[in-house]
């Protein structure tokens, strides 16, 4: 049995997702399931979702801070649907359209589209087209949401005036 690389106790059954060093359960830092939920694809180092404290502080915590900042920016992205083409017709559509499929609800889908726009250094999504597919399984029914949008960079002062 290997010794933990942090506390040196001889019961290290796990290994760090980054440095692959043996770590005991007490010393391991685990990521929550919703951490990096919108990040696709997940970085290879973060797939195991368990880390030694050293790697967590050096690599995971800065990435998690950046991710949380991007989520906060995504919550403030301006959204224009296809029906609002009078308001959005003057925006230059330089970036490629983005697409998200298989979301549980409408708000999550819009937030995912906004997050992808933030990652493309844009502050607005236009031509948002959302579709809902109802899935029936016997007496149980659920919805599956998909959507597309064009990320654009717009002047926030001009948008707020309108």
């Amino acid at each position: 049995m290997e010794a933990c690389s942090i506390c040196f106790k001889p019961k290290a059954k796990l290994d760090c997702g980054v440095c692959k060093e043996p770590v005991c359960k007490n010393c391991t830092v685990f990521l929550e399931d919703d951490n990096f939920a919108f990040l696709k694809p997940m970085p290879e180092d973060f797939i195991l979702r368990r880390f030694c404290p050293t790697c967590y502080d050096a690599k995971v915590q800065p990435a998690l801070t950046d991710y949380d900042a991007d989520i906060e920016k995504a919550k403030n992205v301006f959204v224009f649907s296809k029906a609002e083409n009078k308001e959005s017709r003057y925006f230059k559509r330089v970036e490629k359209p983005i697409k998200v499929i298989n979301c549980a609800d409408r708000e999550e889908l819009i937030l995912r589209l906004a997050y992808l726009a933030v990652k493309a250094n844009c502050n607005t999504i236009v031509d948002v087209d959302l579709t809902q597919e109802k899935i029936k399984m016997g007496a149980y029914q659920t919805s599956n949401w998909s959507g597309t949008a064009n990320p654009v960079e717009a002047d926030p002062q001009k948008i707020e005036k309108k």
Side-chain angles (χ1 to χ4, degrees), residues 10-117:
K11 55 180 181 178
K13 294 183 180 180
L14 303 173
D15 58 336
C16 175
V18 177
C19 67
K20 309 298 184 218
E21 290 291 323
V23 186
C24 68
K25 187 175 180 181
N26 292 335
C27 295
T28 303
V29 180
F30 295 97
L31 276 181
E32 299 291 325
D33 289 338
D34 60 345
N35 292 129
F36 302 114
F38 291 2
L39 196 58
K40 302 290 184 207
M42 177 75 80
E44 200 170 303
D45 290 343
F46 299 166
I47 291 176
L48 288 179
R49 301 178 105 46
R50 59 180 185 250
F51 308 96
C52 67
T54 307
C55 290
Y56 183 82
D57 291 340
K59 295 198 176 185
V60 179
Q61 188 60 43
L64 192 56
T65 302
D66 291 343
Y67 174 80
D68 289 340
D70 287 344
I71 291 293
E72 286 304 313
K73 286 180 190 174
K75 290 178 182 177
N76 296 318
V77 164
F78 297 102
V79 179
F80 293 96
S81 68
K82 272 194 168 185
E84 298 174 298
N85 59 358
K86 282 190 174 185
E87 290 86 2
S88 66
R89 66 181 168 207
Y90 296 115
F91 295 137
K92 292 183 181 177
R93 289 149 175 85
V94 178
E95 298 289 328
K96 292 182 179 179
I98 51 178
K99 182 177 185 176
V100 174
I101 56 173
N102 298 333
C103 280
D105 64 357
R106 185 179 187 275
E107 287 74 28
E108 178 189 347
L109 175 62
I110 292 172
L111 187 59
R112 284 183 184 270
L113 289 169
Y115 176 77
L116 291 174

Side-chain angles (χ1 to χ4, degrees), residues 128-142:
V128 177
D129 185 25
L130 308 177
T131 56
Q132 177 187 19
E133 177 186 3
K134 293 184 179 180
I135 301 170
K136 294 184 179 182
M137 296 173 278
Y140 180 73
Q141 179 176 325
T142 185

Side-chain angles (χ1 to χ4, degrees), residues 1-14 21-24:
M1 191 169 266
E2 293 186 64
C4 176
S5 61
I6 305 301
C7 67
F8 303 110
K9 290 184 180 176
K11 55 180 181 178
K13 294 183 180 180
L14 303 173
E21 290 291 323
V23 186
C24 68

